[in-house]
Amino acid sequence: MPDINFIKSEIERMRVQLSRQRKEIQQLERAGISTASAELLLGRMLVKVEGLRDERDRLKAEQPHTMQGKVLGGRKW
């Protein structure tokens, strides 16, 4: 079972890939080339990121919330 840090890094990696995919789609559109398959891939990638975000939120909710030792401003006394 992947931990929350792995999920977070995977989400960030996928966001970079999504950005590249969107730029590639724009280039194809400018060149007059069909973007149907690239848009399908983008859709699958978005679904995967959404699933990873749900998993991250679930893992975050399972973690115990400890506020012990923390003071406003981030100082520890």
Side-chain angles (χ1 to χ4, degrees), residues 28-39:
L28 291 171
E29 286 174 342
R30 281 190 218 120
I33 300 171
S34 174
T35 60
S37 61
E39 288 174 1

Side-chain angles (χ1 to χ4, degrees), residues 3-66:
D3 66 342
I4 194 164
N5 292 326
F6 174 77
I7 299 289
K8 286 179 178 181
S9 65
E10 189 69 11
I11 290 171
E12 187 59 33
R13 186 184 68 79
M14 290 293 294
R15 285 182 177 160
V16 170
Q17 285 184 336
L18 285 167
S19 176
R20 289 180 184 155
Q21 186 70 17
R22 285 186 180 113
K23 289 177 185 175
E24 186 176 316
I25 289 172
Q26 287 177 342
Q27 288 175 343
L28 291 171
E29 286 174 342
R30 281 190 218 120
I33 300 171
S34 174
T35 60
S37 61
E39 288 174 1
L40 286 173
L41 175 61
L42 181 65
R44 289 193 304 268
M45 292 168 72
L46 288 169
V47 169
K48 183 172 181 178
V49 168
E50 189 174 317
L52 288 170
R53 287 185 3 216
D54 291 342
E55 180 70 12
R56 177 201 59 199
D57 293 344
R58 185 186 65 75
L59 289 172
K60 190 185 284 187
E62 290 177 359
Q63 288 183 341
H65 297 285
T66 58

Side-chain angles (χ1 to χ4, degrees), residues 63-77:
Q63 288 183 341
H65 297 285
T66 58
M67 295 298 287
Q68 191 175 18
K70 293 188 178 178
V71 178
L72 291 178
R75 291 191 230 168
K76 295 181 182 179
W77 299 94

